[in-house]
Amino acid sequence: MTGVIYLIGVVQALFFALLLIFKRNRHRADRYLMQFFLLMALFLLFAYSNTIRLFEEAPMILPIIVLVPLLYGPTLYAYVKVLISELKTESDFRFRYHLIPTAAYFIVIFPIFLNENREDLIGFYVERFIDLPLYINIAVIIQYLTAPIYFLITLFLLIRHRNRIITTHS
């Protein structure tokens, strides 16, 4: 039953992404929102593959599965920044700092995926904190903390923008 819910979420996310792709007079923020929906569809597709245990047959999809949630926060943050006109250009160098946690996580976790022992790879994905080195446990904790941290950062950004509007237009 949960597999069906995941597939419905995939279809909805892809539908909204397609609406944004074919939208006329697209705003720059629409591109970031489309990327967020595509990431959500990809993650829900992987969640569905987890319910049918696909990763046991194809364990090399695991690096993508663990990286997708790390991109939610920066994508949502960029969407809000562009929406409230604080991210001025596409190549704003300061925004690239938000991809450092994702890159660091991938560098720490990548050696596990080079391991040819499928049981170790599946064990990492299924049993996260059991018999793993400390640096990998820290990386996994960082993975779990990025979404709530970015949610709070984005919330404070929106509150600051609301206060700026209130003081400017009152």
Side-chain angles (χ1 to χ4, degrees), residues 74-133:
T75 306
L76 183 64
Y77 177 78
Y79 168 67
V80 170
K81 286 285 261 189
V82 168
L83 200 60
I84 64 176
S85 300
E86 285 191 13
L87 189 62
K88 302 297 183 197
T89 64
E90 296 287 327
S91 62
D92 191 348
F93 185 73
R94 292 173 298 171
F95 176 70
R96 292 190 180 115
Y97 290 128
H98 293 278
L99 298 176
I100 290 174
T102 305
Y105 180 83
F106 189 70
I107 289 169
V108 168
I109 297 300
F110 191 70
I112 292 175
F113 298 112
L114 293 178
N115 188 354
E116 293 183 17
N117 189 352
R118 287 178 51 175
E119 287 75 28
D120 287 348
L121 192 59
I122 293 170
F124 164 73
Y125 184 67
V126 175
E127 301 168 2
R128 291 283 169 108
F129 295 103
I130 299 174
D131 295 329
L132 292 175

